Amino acid sequence: MIFSRQLLVLLFILACCPAPGFSAEVEIKKSKLDIPQDIVKSLQIRVSLGQEKPKVVLSTQTPFKVFDGEGRLLFQGSQIEKTAVFAQEGQIFLGRQSFKRLPLVLDSGKSVLQLDQRTYRDILEFSMLPDGRLLIVNELDLEDYLRGVLPWEANPGWKPEALKAQAVASRTYALFKMIENRGESFAVSSDVISQVYGGVTLEKTSTNQAIDATEGQILVYKGKIFPAFFHSTCGGHTTRAENAWPIEPHPSLRGGSCGFCNESPHYRWKVSLTEQELRTVLKKMGYNVTSILKLSAKDIDESGRARFFEIKYPAGKIKIPANDFRLAVSPMKMKSVFLRQITHEGHTFTLAGRGWGHGVGLCQYGIKKMAELGYTYRQILEYYYPGSEIRVLAAPELG
Ligand SMILES: [Zn+2]
């Protein structure tokens, strides 16, 4: 009887608290997709500009139109002076006017709109999340979107072949997300979760030239598009996509040695974290731990990266997927899961590691060096995405 009760309790615990990192419900995402005809025809991308701000300030110096959620023209004008936009009681306010039929769509007619300190092309769409916060989406041409990505994701001072390689990788990644997130309210976000996008504000001639020189070019593997992941610095070896996330293995994302990024400022790094900081991180992840006896990297893959972290505490131990733990600590502090050493002194854990980022696909400091050494962008892309080919989006075989 006692045994049965214990068993029932155990079953209840297992049902409520699946072992961290081993959840059977994790969806394995496809690593390659067909390109639908309608996406190729329009090539408009929807970018979420963040969902945190309760209020933004909008303005434009050029003619504009405002539509409601059913596509009806509400009004048009020649300019908008600085006007607050915010959500309240199920409506969106544009200055003193309120709108119920959402989203509220502002079309600049292929011109630009200012939102707070930044400038965006084409269309801004305002809607509301279930919790009442404002959701702002910028809808624009994919090539124009890239103009707002490259200055952030690459250094505009890098050699043209490095910028071209980044342009093709960023275009491929964005298009993959447009297909993967069809039917969602946006395809990508404007932060590091997708790729950083800052609108027109920081566009640069060098990065715009790289985008124009590779217009419409994407990477495919056996005719299918795949998510061309990239990261800052691999630290000497890239890793398999399926080691970093729940994604199907892909031949072009299988990792390999990189001999080009050792001049990166992120090639080697060290960070110290107090036990208190780690406890706070663990609490945020749902684990209440009184003290930490040991932190170790586990299941090291062939690139040298940990797939899990194990935390020993007085009452037992927990195993957490390494990338989740890194992001919870802070990707700026714990730059990678490619660890060389973890030391523990007093109440401080010191981690020494290599590289910055998830380590999948293209290594940005690696492409910088390859371009300096005279490699072409096609050679660079073949090096980091083995077996991939460049196709131009308008090509009939992709239609
Ligand atoms: Zn590298």
Side-chain angles (χ1 to χ4, degrees):
M1 184 63 184
I2 292 167
F3 174 77
S4 304
R5 277 177 64 188
Q6 283 174 335
L7 186 64
L8 277 175
V9 169
L10 178 65
L11 287 172
F12 178 72
I13 290 169
L14 286 174
C16 295
C17 319
F22 293 100
S23 169
E25 305 96 57
V26 173
E27 182 199 351
I28 306 294
K29 286 197 170 177
K30 285 188 177 178
S31 58
K32 52 187 186 293
L33 294 171
D34 289 316
I35 305 171
Q37 184 71 49
D38 60 321
I39 285 188
V40 178
K41 270 186 186 163
S42 78
L43 288 179
Q44 296 287 300
I45 187 165
R46 291 172 57 81
V47 190
S48 160
L49 301 182
Q51 305 163 3
E52 305 302 328
K53 291 183 179 175
K55 186 175 89 172
V56 288
V57 175
L58 174 82
S59 65
T60 182
Q61 307 307 317
T62 52
F64 68 94
K65 287 180 178 171
V66 179
F67 298 90
D68 70 10
E70 285 148 29
R72 283 181 298 208
L73 179 65
L74 297 177
F75 59 92
Q76 53 189 317
S78 56
Q79 63 172 48
I80 304 175
E81 295 297 335
K82 285 183 177 176
T83 304
V85 185
F86 56 97
Q88 203 172 65
E89 293 167 0
Q91 301 175 70
I92 285 182
F93 285 77
L94 179 60
R96 276 175 291 180
Q97 279 188 288
S98 64
F99 301 90
K100 278 185 182 169
R101 291 195 188 93
L102 303 177
L104 185 66
V105 180
L106 269 97
D107 189 340
S108 71
K110 287 284 162 195
S111 188
V112 295
L113 299 156
Q114 278 88 43
L115 202 61
D116 290 338
Q117 309 305 320
R118 292 196 175 162
T119 307
Y120 297 98
R121 295 175 188 273
D122 295 4
I123 291 170
L124 287 176
E125 189 184 284
F126 300 87
S127 56
M128 220 165 0
L129 294 164
D131 64 6
R133 283 180 303 156
L134 203 57
L135 170 64
I136 309 169
V137 171
N138 182 199
E139 185 175 319
L140 76 168
D141 183 84
L142 175 61
E143 298 295 317
D144 286 337
Y145 160 74
L146 295 172
R147 294 174 200 279
V149 167
L150 246 65
W152 301 81
E153 288 292 354
N155 185 326
W158 288 357
K159 298 276 184 201
E161 293 302 302
L163 297 180
K164 284 194 237 172
Q166 180 66 53
V168 175
S170 284
R171 186 181 292 108
T172 307
Y173 179 82
L175 185 64
F176 186 90
K177 288 289 168 189
M178 285 161 67
I179 301 165
E180 189 179 63
N181 293 329
R182 271 176 111 189
E184 301 292 329
S185 44
F186 54 89
V188 289
S189 59
S190 59
D191 55 19
V192 288
I193 293 170
S194 300
Q195 45 187 348
V196 181
Y197 165 68
V200 180
T201 315
L202 274 192
E203 286 186 11
K204 294 280 184 288
T205 308
S206 62
T207 45
N208 283 352
Q209 282 170 345
I211 292 157
D212 292 342
T214 61
E215 187 180 349
Q217 292 181 18
I218 56 157
L219 291 169
V220 295
Y221 180 82
K222 293 191 174 170
K224 290 196 173 187
I225 188 168
F226 62 93
F229 295 110
F230 52 86
H231 58 280
S232 166
T233 304
C234 76
H237 205 292
T238 60
T239 188
R240 294 174 181 275
E242 70 269 27
N243 287 356
W245 308 290
I247 184 172
E248 290 174 338
H250 189 285
S252 299
L253 301 170
R254 62 174 186 260
S257 66
C258 162
F260 298 101
C261 62
N262 56 358
E263 290 170 16
S264 162
H266 314 294
Y267 191 75
R268 285 197 168 84
W269 54 267
K270 204 178 247 190
V271 68
S272 290
L273 302 162
T274 65
E275 194 182 331
Q276 179 59 45
E277 277 180 272
L278 288 176
R279 279 209 308 267
T280 307
V281 167
L282 290 170
K283 196 168 183 186
K284 199 164 68 179
M285 299 182 85
Y287 305 102
N288 252 323
V289 173
T290 49
S291 67
I292 299 169
L293 303 176
K294 195 174 178 189
L295 169 71
S296 10
K298 294 283 175 186
D299 297 12
I300 310 298
D301 72 11
E302 68 264 39
S303 80
R305 287 171 178 80
R307 297 189 69 184
F308 293 93
F309 281 106
E310 188 181 86
I311 292 115
K312 277 193 184 153
Y313 60 105
K317 58 187 177 185
I318 44 181
K319 205 172 172 186
I320 303 175
N323 265 319
D324 293 354
F325 186 67
R326 179 175 90 84
L327 296 177
V329 168
S330 160
M332 309 298 283
K333 281 186 178 177
M334 191 171 165
K335 292 187 173 179
S336 72
V337 295
F338 193 168
L339 294 163
R340 292 184 298 130
Q341 199 179 34
I342 301 177
T343 51
H344 183 193
E345 266 186 64
H347 292 290
T348 304
F349 292 84
T350 301
L351 287 71
R354 284 165 68 163
W356 193 9
H358 48 64
V360 181
L362 179 151
C363 163
Q364 290 168 313
Y365 271 90
I367 71 170
K368 170 187 184 283
K369 186 68 183 179
M370 286 186 83
E372 286 167 4
L373 293 171
Y375 289 95
T376 67
Y377 78 101
R378 287 171 187 265
Q379 289 170 322
I380 293 170
L381 291 167
E382 170 56 29
Y383 184 75
Y384 288 106
Y385 303 110
S388 66
E389 294 171 273
I390 292 178
R391 287 281 184 274
V392 179
L393 263 176
E397 68 265 29
L398 288 176

